Amino acid sequence: MKRLRDSLDSKYLKICLYAGVTVIVTAIVFLLLYLTGGVWRKIWNVFLAVLKPMILGGVLCYLLAPLENRIEKFLNRNGNKNWTKAVAVALTYVLILVAIVILIVLIVLTMYKSLSVISIDGIKEFYYSMTADLADFENVINEAFEKIGLPINKITGLFGSLVSGVAGFFSLLLFGIIFSVYFLIDGQNIGKYFRRAFRLLFGEKNNDQLNIFLNDADQAFSGYIRGQFLDAFIVAVLTSVALQIAGVPSAIVVGIFTGIGNLIPYCGPIVGYVVTAVVCIPGGDWVKLIIGLIVIAVVMFVDGNVINPRLLSSSIEVHPLLVIAALLGGGVVGGLVGMIVAVPIAALLKIQLDRYLDKKEQKGASHEQQ
């Protein structure tokens, strides 16, 4: 035994010992995780329940901060800063609420006008024909559900899931707004606390790198998202005025929807064409439909070649191929929200890549000089 022990290399013996202990510890950890999976799953769900509204609140705070700052500066013109912050936040949300209410009212009025021009006799005829064939129609529906493995008695369960999903969405929105209010009111103190904690925990060097990254992120997002919102507002105003002059019905609603659609690159014209068709076709206004489509095409041409590039001149230039790739990836990952933020994220990644390439180029130049 002594000879065998002497013949073994102590270095490799230690390596084997460390490897064996690592495997055993890893197996124990995975076994504990497996046995306590339900507990960790609950902890993860609680973490997500807190994290989601916090992220939403941060996004809302970031988007609303410019408007809130302008209102606060206006209120601070007399030098009184004791109450202006809270009042500015309240006025910001009041303005947003008023804008949403106005948009909903315009949509309701447009739908009412569009439906009022539809023939009542045609609706009655369609209703009576559907009533006559109701039994056959019900059989067709039941057969269709059975073919896809979805019995009709499961519809109530799907409806309950839909109601639960809607309730969850509004709950997330409510708590996100609450977080955003606190971020807007006390954001500076919160930011100072976390910056101090990060500096003490990870060191001054990492803190400087984090500040550089946050500045790059602010440049990419503020230059793109806020520029896109301003561009959407300009497109909405130009489209509404031009369509109003051309006599297109519900010109303001069409302009608003076109501006909202323009928040997503390349989607503004499509939304504008569809809404124009919706407000013109029920009344048979084919000439106004063609005029409206031409007007939207002209506004989009001016916006894409003059307005949008000037508004986004402060942000990094992103190649159209990168924009398309970012939109496809963002749509798959995050849907509509993902498409909105995909381009600034791509711009941020491009900034980081440019910084890395610049460092490599500087190191190469310094080695050549040596």
Side-chain angles (χ1 to χ4, degrees):
M1 182 66 68
K2 184 178 180 181
R3 290 182 179 180
L4 178 61
R5 187 175 58 195
D6 293 339
S7 63
L8 294 175
D9 191 337
S10 61
K11 179 180 178 181
Y12 290 108
L13 185 61
K14 288 181 180 180
I15 294 176
C16 293
L17 180 62
Y18 290 151
V21 171
T22 302
V23 172
I24 294 173
V25 171
T26 304
I28 293 174
V29 170
F30 275 106
L31 179 61
L32 291 175
L33 290 175
Y34 176 76
L35 295 176
T36 59
V39 176
W40 292 108
R41 193 177 299 111
K42 291 181 180 178
I43 294 175
W44 176 251
N45 291 334
V46 172
F47 175 74
L48 287 181
V50 177
L51 184 63
K52 287 181 179 179
M54 188 178 295
I55 293 176
L56 178 59
V59 173
L60 292 175
C61 174
Y62 185 80
L63 294 175
L64 299 178
L67 177 60
E68 187 273 333
N69 289 333
R70 289 181 179 274
I71 296 175
E72 185 179 4
K73 288 180 180 179
F74 175 77
L75 296 176
N76 281 335
R77 66 188 186 278
N78 295 326
N80 188 359
K81 298 182 179 181
N82 295 327
W83 51 270
T84 53
K85 190 71 175 179
V87 174
V89 173
L91 289 177
T92 300
Y93 271 101
V94 168
L95 290 176
I96 298 298
L97 180 62
V98 170
I100 293 175
V101 170
I102 292 174
L103 178 61
I104 293 175
V105 170
L106 290 175
I107 293 174
V108 171
L109 291 177
T110 301
M111 293 178 62
Y112 176 77
K113 291 180 180 179
S114 299
L115 293 176
S116 63
V117 299
I118 300 176
S119 174
I120 301 298
D121 294 334
I123 295 177
K124 289 182 179 180
E125 183 179 353
F126 176 76
Y127 170 76
Y128 290 138
S129 63
M130 286 296 298
T131 303
D133 298 331
L134 183 60
D136 295 335
F137 181 73
E138 184 177 355
N139 293 330
V140 171
I141 294 297
N142 290 333
E143 292 176 0
F145 278 119
E146 290 177 358
K147 286 182 180 179
I148 63 176
L150 187 65
I152 197 67
N153 56 8
K154 291 186 178 181
I155 299 300
T156 56
L158 292 176
F159 180 75
S161 300
L162 178 61
V163 173
S164 176
V166 173
F169 168 77
F170 282 104
S171 175
L172 174 64
L173 180 61
L174 175 62
F175 284 102
I177 293 174
I178 293 174
F179 273 109
S180 69
V181 170
Y182 280 102
F183 289 155
L184 286 171
I185 293 176
D186 204 26
Q188 293 183 350
N189 293 329
I190 295 174
K192 288 180 181 178
Y193 175 81
F194 280 103
R195 283 194 295 269
R196 175 176 174 269
F198 188 88
R199 185 179 68 255
L200 295 175
L201 292 174
F202 300 100
E204 194 68 34
K205 182 179 179 181
N206 291 327
N207 184 64
D208 294 338
Q209 292 178 353
L210 177 64
N211 289 331
I212 293 174
F213 176 80
L214 292 178
N215 290 332
D216 292 341
D218 181 66
Q219 175 188 351
F221 278 80
S222 64
Y224 185 83
I225 294 183
R226 292 172 183 169
Q228 282 293 97
F229 272 95
L230 181 57
D231 178 69
F233 175 76
I234 295 175
V235 167
V237 172
L238 291 178
T239 306
S240 300
V241 172
L243 292 178
Q244 190 71 36
I245 295 174
V248 176
S250 304
I252 296 177
V253 175
V254 176
I256 291 174
F257 273 98
T258 304
I260 294 174
N262 207 47
L263 289 172
I264 305 174
Y266 309 117
C267 290
I270 298 175
V271 175
Y273 298 151
V274 171
V275 178
T276 304
V278 169
V279 300
C280 290
I281 290 178
D285 298 328
W286 303 106
V287 176
K288 292 181 179 179
L289 172 62
I290 296 174
I291 295 175
L293 298 180
I294 295 174
V295 167
I296 293 175
V298 172
V299 171
M300 288 301 167
F301 177 81
V302 174
D303 174 69
N305 292 277
V306 179
I307 301 174
N308 192 271
R310 290 183 178 274
L311 290 177
L312 303 181
S313 60
S314 60
S315 64
I316 186 173
E317 293 184 1
V318 181
H319 195 276
L321 289 178
L322 182 59
V323 172
I324 296 174
L327 290 174
L328 292 175
V332 171
V333 174
L336 179 62
V337 177
M339 294 181 70
I340 294 176
V341 302
V343 177
I345 290 177
L348 176 60
L349 294 177
K350 185 176 184 298
I351 291 176
Q352 301 306 309
L353 178 61
D354 290 341
R355 286 191 181 278
Y356 176 76
L357 295 178
D358 291 339
K359 289 181 179 179
K360 295 287 288 185
E361 190 175 17
Q362 291 175 1
K363 287 182 179 179
S366 62
H367 286 308
E368 290 179 0
Q369 291 178 357
Q370 294 176 357

